[in-house]
Structures are given as C-alpha cells and as structure tokens.
Amino acid sequence: IFSDKTGTLTRNRMEFRKCSIWGNSYGMGIAEVRRRVLKKMGLPIPADPVPPPGAKKTPHVNLVDSQLETVLADEDTEEYRHCLRFFLHLAINHTVMCEASNIPDIPVAYSASSPDEGALVYAASHFGFTFSSRDSTGLYVNVRGREIKVIVEADFEFTSARKCSSIACRIQWPEGPEEFVVFCKG
C-alpha cells in the first residue's frame, strides 16, 4: 500500500523529496509540511541539501540520499527487494502517458493528470524503474536495465469516493516465473 501527502492543493506542484521503504527513511532535508511548521513558529528553515557533483537530475525529483543508491546497488538483500516493490508500484499504478523526451539523459517525458502522479512516476524512473510504454494489454517498465511486461488484469482508478487507486497485474520477468501482484495507492 502506498500513500502520499503533498502540497498539491495549495501549490499545485509536487517534488519527490523523501520516502519511507520497509521502515527506512530516505531523503535528506525537510519536507514541505515541516517547512510550514518551522515558518509558523518563527524558526529558521534549513537550506535544502545539495546533490553531489554529477548527480542525476530528473524533473520533479529532489531526493538527496546516497544510502538509497547503495541499497539499490545490491540486489541480493531483503532491503533491495522492498525497494524494488516500492518503485515498481510507482512505475505501474498510474494513468500517466509517455511522450518523447527532449531532455538529455531523460529517456521519456510523462504527461499526467495530476502533479503528484507525474512526480511519482518520474521518481521511479530516477531510481531505475522507467515506465516506457502502454498498450491495450498493459504496460512496459524497464527495471534497472531489464524490460518487463506488465499485463493489467484489473485497474481501479482514483475517485473521490474511493480515495485510492488499485491495479491487479501479472508481471512477466525475463529471467523468472510470472508473478501476480495487486498494488493500492491512496
């Protein structure tokens, strides 16, 4: 289950700055909510962390934390498997459309109906889980260099009544058995 809290209602934009995966918090600096609290209390607001020189730049992503990259580099750990699920969820459970990118080093551009959906899909791509296309049966995601097919069995888009979106799908891994997964976001 994935849940987000954003400033999209007040500012109509979102940046992916922090996440918590399997009880581990990633992303240095403070989130928008904490900024508002500090401002209201009249306390100084710390500067945003500066990415290291040569760090990857992706639209709508401002997460600075080398620990997450370290986790993603070791596929043999349980922590990696939880990160894999988290970023797969971001890359699969959405209504975003792909477009050709004119930004160097960004493989695709995304068109989203809401700023938070776009930021979440860009975040997945930033960390190597790139939603690359959609067809009548499902979608394709490049998972850190491996192309997978995701066959959508059922898709329940976000509504104001449900307050979440869900997708039931079959993931076809190139090196292993097909896997049935249900993701819920909201």
Side-chain angles (χ1 to χ4, degrees):
I1 296 179
F2 181 83
S3 179
D4 67 342
K5 173 65 183 138
T6 69
T8 55
L9 293 177
T10 55
R11 296 174 57 192
N12 201 31
R13 69 174 251 238
M14 182 176 169
E15 276 190 337
F16 189 87
R17 300 173 63 96
K18 288 184 164 283
C19 62
S20 177
I21 305 170
W22 195 46
N24 296 310
S25 181
Y26 299 104
M28 298 166 54
I30 61 173
E32 188 67 28
V33 173
R34 182 75 176 139
R35 285 180 189 289
R36 287 191 203 139
V37 169
L38 291 174
K39 185 176 180 180
K40 194 173 190 176
M41 295 173 65
L43 297 173
I45 299 170
D48 282 338
V50 178
K56 183 177 180 180
K57 293 181 182 183
T58 304
H60 310 289
V61 178
N62 190 16
L63 189 148
V64 179
D65 191 337
S66 62
Q67 182 59 31
L68 183 53
E69 290 293 345
T70 301
V71 169
L72 290 170
D74 187 358
E75 294 185 13
D76 294 327
T77 66
E78 187 172 4
E79 195 170 0
Y80 171 85
R81 288 184 287 280
H82 288 282
C83 289
L84 167 77
R85 286 282 179 231
F86 179 85
F87 287 114
L88 261 182
H89 187 172
L90 298 187
I92 292 171
N93 188 9
H94 58 77
T95 57
V96 171
M97 299 304 291
C98 289
E99 301 171 352
S101 173
N102 58 3
I103 303 170
D105 300 323
I106 304 293
V108 292
Y110 299 118
S111 176
S113 61
S114 69
D116 45 349
E117 276 229 318
L120 296 173
V121 175
Y122 271 113
S125 182
H126 181 83
F127 291 102
F129 300 80
T130 304
F131 163 56
S132 53
S133 67
R134 184 185 305 269
D135 64 24
S136 62
T137 62
L139 48 114
Y140 295 87
V141 178
N142 184 299
V143 177
R144 303 184 70 78
R146 298 174 296 176
E147 191 76 20
I148 64 167
K149 168 72 174 170
V150 179
I151 299 170
V152 176
E153 298 292 345
D155 190 7
F156 303 96
E157 291 186 20
F158 178 91
T159 67
S160 57
R162 286 185 72 234
K163 304 225 184 288
C164 68
S165 66
S166 304
I167 189 167
C169 57
R170 287 184 288 133
I171 300 174
Q172 297 178 333
W173 294 98
E175 70 282 346
E178 188 172 84
E179 176 179 19
F180 187 80
V181 181
V182 176
F183 289 122
C184 181
K185 175 175 69 176

